[in-house]
Amino acid sequence: MLEEVERWLSTRSWSVTDRPLHRLLAAKQRTGQSVSVVLPALNEEDTVGDIVAIIRHDLMQQVPLVDEIVVVDSGSTDRTSEVAAAAGATVVHRDEILPRLPAVPGKGEVLWRSLLVTTGDIVCFIDADLKEFSSDFVSGIVGPLLTDPEVDLVKGMYDRPLGGAAGQGGRVTELMARPLLNMHWPQLAGFVQPLGGEYAARRSLLEQLPFPVGYGVELGMLVDALHLVGLDALAQVDVGVRKHRHQDGQALGRMSAAIYRTAQLRLARGHMIRPSLTQFERGEDGFEPRTYSVDTEERPPMVEIAEYATRKVA
């Protein structure tokens, strides 16, 4: 590990207990910073309501740390929107945001569009499929941004159990993202959960970043932020244990392909020879190929979008 990364781990890796709520509230009142929490959601009726309710109770009613909770529904066919609204979130459908630009499927697309419907100086992203959720996820990762003006982006780090085994979750992280980062961006080798969906950043940074529309968004954001603001502006906070719904191996393969594509673009800004991935499933006549396109589109920095500039002026 680079000496720079060893130093970073000792100065930019914290625990949620390092910043108690009363300290965060004092910093928020002193600096006047506002906090938005965004949950990208697709068919998450079983979990999204509890997450919203816990954030509202702990960080809006008991302690006024969060200013708004926005759930961006990317086309759910279940009761995700109704459950989220009943729990107290502002619910916006992805397609209602920037309607002149047709939406494409993907998590990154939703996160990018959320910048147009939130107002916080600090934007905190939380996945909507978390189980046994704790508001520490939010307070932990917004804490350094409220208290340290030199920090621009904070990732959550946590244990990810799989099938009852501790630390076995995050398979794409270990098999794809971590090797890529260690080989090509070794300054980022200290991130425990580089692909984790729980992170917060200053709007002033997010609006300058391009957003891969799909699963490559987290890796792309880390790499681009490193180049834009430097390693010392990035941090991570231990928030405990993350439990969520795990995907099957083929879905993870498609996720890995999108992440590799994101890395490839940042290494060479070149073009994939074949931007698709073929996988195999056993059918009646043996193994049958299934070919999927790999996310190749990226949204430009939000500051380049006319509607966003108009909103800021207004």
Side-chain angles (χ1 to χ4, degrees):
M1 183 176 290
L2 296 178
E3 182 177 337
E4 180 183 7
V5 176
E6 292 182 352
R7 177 192 56 77
W8 179 85
L9 281 169
S10 66
T11 60
R12 285 292 186 264
S13 292
W14 297 293
S15 167
V16 64
T17 58
D18 291 334
R19 293 175 174 82
L21 282 175
H22 68 83
R23 180 182 170 194
L24 301 187
L25 186 58
K28 176 180 168 66
Q29 293 171 339
R30 182 178 67 254
T31 61
Q33 298 176 94
S34 55
V35 177
S36 299
V37 175
V38 172
L39 279 72
L42 177 63
N43 295 329
E44 304 294 357
E45 67 176 356
D46 292 338
T47 50
V48 68
D50 287 342
I51 297 172
V52 170
I54 290 169
I55 296 172
R56 278 189 57 82
H57 176 267
D58 293 358
L59 303 180
M60 296 182 81
Q61 296 169 350
Q62 287 198 333
V63 176
L65 191 70
V66 170
D67 297 281
E68 63 177 353
I69 305 174
V70 177
V71 171
V72 183
D73 190 329
S74 58
S76 298
T77 56
D78 64 2
R79 298 181 61 252
T80 290
S81 291
E82 294 87 342
V83 170
T90 298
V91 179
V92 185
H93 194 282
R94 175 199 62 197
D95 296 346
E96 297 172 354
I97 307 169
L98 201 62
R100 72 167 175 84
L101 193 64
V104 297
K107 179 183 180 182
E109 177 83 354
V110 174
L111 301 184
W112 182 73
R113 288 175 185 261
S114 75
L115 296 181
L116 271 163
V117 292
T118 53
T119 60
D121 302 303
I122 295 169
V123 182
C124 174
F125 299 119
I126 300 290
D127 281 351
D129 66 341
L130 302 188
K131 304 173 183 177
E132 301 178 28
F133 178 78
S134 167
S135 60
D136 285 351
F137 275 72
V138 175
S139 59
I141 58 181
V142 304
L145 295 163
L146 287 169
T147 59
D148 189 338
E150 295 184 353
V151 174
D152 287 327
L153 184 149
V154 181
K155 296 282 292 190
M157 57 176 167
Y158 29 68
D159 294 314
R160 296 183 68 180
L162 175 64
Q168 295 302 306
R171 291 161 287 172
V172 175
T173 292
E174 300 304 328
L175 297 174
M176 174 61 72
R178 199 176 308 285
L180 279 173
L181 293 176
N182 275 264
M183 288 186 289
H184 299 297
W185 296 281
Q187 286 177 294
L188 298 174
F191 277 95
V192 175
Q193 297 292 352
L195 300 185
E198 290 69 47
Y199 50 98
R202 300 191 190 282
R203 177 177 295 272
S204 57
L205 171 62
L206 293 172
E207 66 187 13
Q208 297 182 69
L209 299 177
F211 276 60
V213 298
Y215 285 120
V217 63
E218 276 85 19
L219 184 134
M221 190 176 295
L222 263 188
V223 171
D224 293 340
L226 173 68
H227 289 297
L228 191 62
V229 296
L231 183 60
D232 283 341
L234 313 180
Q236 61 185 350
V237 173
D238 188 347
V239 292
V241 179
R242 182 186 196 266
K243 297 181 180 180
H244 65 114
R245 182 185 67 253
H246 292 283
Q247 300 195 55
D248 63 36
Q250 292 211 335
L252 296 180
R254 297 189 290 275
M255 187 184 302
S256 296
I259 290 166
Y260 180 79
R261 167 61 171 173
T262 299
Q264 183 195 47
L265 283 172
R266 279 149 182 78
L267 284 168
R269 294 294 171 182
H271 300 282
M272 286 187 79
I273 296 173
R274 181 174 177 265
S276 59
L277 174 72
T278 299
Q279 297 176 318
F280 293 87
E281 298 177 5
R282 185 180 289 278
E284 294 181 359
D285 299 319
F287 286 102
E288 300 174 355
R290 300 284 189 272
T291 300
Y292 302 88
S293 61
V294 174
D295 294 322
T296 59
E297 188 171 354
E298 296 195 5
R299 294 305 191 187
M302 188 57 78
V303 290
E304 298 178 10
I305 301 299
E307 289 88 339
Y308 187 76
T310 301
R311 192 198 73 159
K312 291 189 71 174
V313 170

